[in-house]
Amino acid sequence: ILNVEQSPQSLHVQEGDSTNFTCSFPSSNFYALHWYRWETAKSPEALFVMTLNGDEKKKGRISATLNTKEGYSYLYIKGSQPEDSATYLCALYGTASKLTFGTGTRLQVTL
Amino acid sequence: GAVVSQHPSRVICKSGTSVKIECRSLDFQATTMFWYRQFPKQSLMLMATSNEGSKATYEQGVEKDKFLINHASLTLSTLTVTSAHPEDSSFYICSATTSRSYEQYFGPGTRLTVT
């Protein structure tokens, strides 16, 4: 059974601030780690899929890293904007061909 | 591309009635669809996995006679909550994938309230 923990549970930053949150997992017995961005009333949107220790991915102002040896992934947002407000989900794709989700980090960016 | 729709987005029903939720892949063929449930302040929990043309595989603790899943075509899966009770009130969300990828594409979810 895969365990996925995300922290913080919620985060409130001002426009322009850079921020980061954590996805941690005690076991590295998985194929891939996914980050999703989920806005209210919309479908979760895939941000990144990472598979290898040391992977770094970037999309615009958002980037992510993966450290399977120490059991964590970071998601970074540079220069937060109000449109970044969403819940960010981390999920592991494991050997049972299923996604196991964390509870998410809820980000609120205000002007 | 890779759009998944879900209908309805919100439903309120009386205790004892059944509710059907549809999940459609709009621009691709989904060999596998997944159904998740989310209770307040909890993570998305996988309920079942369905492959087109075969019976769904349910996760431990999920009653298959209560949550009927049908995946009759490569673009449609349905979840029927039978004899719904207030404790079934939850957010239900589906996802779909193709045989060539483990990337899952999600629908926007359905909020079910049983009164």
Side-chain angles (χ1 to χ4, degrees):
Chain A
I1 297 176
L2 293 172
N3 286 319
V4 185
E5 293 186 8
Q6 289 187 249
S7 63
Q9 194 172 26
S10 64
L11 195 53
H12 197 148
V13 302
Q14 291 200 311
E15 183 182 17
D17 288 350
S18 293
T19 186
N20 67 83
F21 12 98
T22 307
C23 173
S24 58
F25 40 89
S27 167
S28 297
N29 190 24
F30 58 88
Y31 293 128
L33 184 145
H34 296 243
W35 279 101
Y36 287 89
R37 179 173 175 276
W38 193 7
E39 288 182 75
T40 303
K42 295 186 178 179
S43 305
E45 172 198 356
L47 289 174
F48 305 113
V49 180
M50 294 183 288
T51 57
L52 300 174
N53 182 47
D55 258 356
E56 292 187 26
K57 295 282 178 83
K58 188 176 181 190
K59 187 185 288 189
R61 294 180 291 101
I62 305 177
S63 60
T65 60
L66 176 63
N67 185 326
T68 57
K69 291 183 179 178
E70 295 187 25
Y72 65 83
S73 173
Y74 290 146
L75 187 79
Y76 301 90
I77 302 179
K78 185 178 178 182
S80 302
Q81 299 296 310
E83 57 265 30
D84 296 328
S85 298
T87 296
Y88 292 83
L89 296 174
C90 170
L92 300 182
Y93 185 80
T95 54
S97 302
K98 302 171 189 175
L99 282 177
T100 301
F101 283 87
T103 51
T105 292
R106 190 170 187 171
L107 174 67
Q108 184 72 34
V109 183
T110 52
L111 297 170
Chain B
V3 178
V4 176
S5 70
Q6 227 176 297
H7 179 80
S9 58
R10 193 178 288 268
V11 58
I12 301 172
C13 71
K14 291 188 177 179
S15 189
T17 60
S18 295
V19 173
K20 182 186 282 189
I21 302 170
E22 290 186 351
C23 177
R24 292 183 186 270
S25 57
L26 299 184
D27 51 2
F28 67 100
Q29 293 187 325
T31 50
T32 304
M33 287 184 166
F34 302 88
W35 287 95
Y36 295 84
R37 179 169 55 184
Q38 185 185 37
F39 291 109
K41 298 190 178 181
Q42 294 188 24
S43 59
L44 292 173
M45 297 296 294
L46 181 65
M47 298 174 67
T49 302
S50 76
N51 293 295
E52 184 263 339
S54 61
K55 289 183 179 179
T57 302
Y58 290 81
E59 294 300 299
Q60 195 173 8
V62 178
E63 296 176 61
K64 62 181 180 181
D65 294 330
K66 179 161 189 64
F67 298 100
L68 300 178
I69 291 172
N70 185 280
H71 191 165
S73 76
L74 285 171
T75 59
L76 173 65
S77 176
T78 59
L79 167 68
T80 302
V81 183
T82 62
S83 188
H85 288 100
E87 57 265 30
D88 299 324
S89 298
S90 188
F91 186 79
Y92 294 87
I93 190 168
C94 70
S95 70
T97 189
T98 68
S99 59
R100 288 169 288 179
S101 169
Y102 52 66
E103 187 72 61
Q104 290 186 25
Y105 304 99
F106 283 84
T110 297
R111 172 75 58 192
L112 170 64
T113 303
V114 185
T115 60

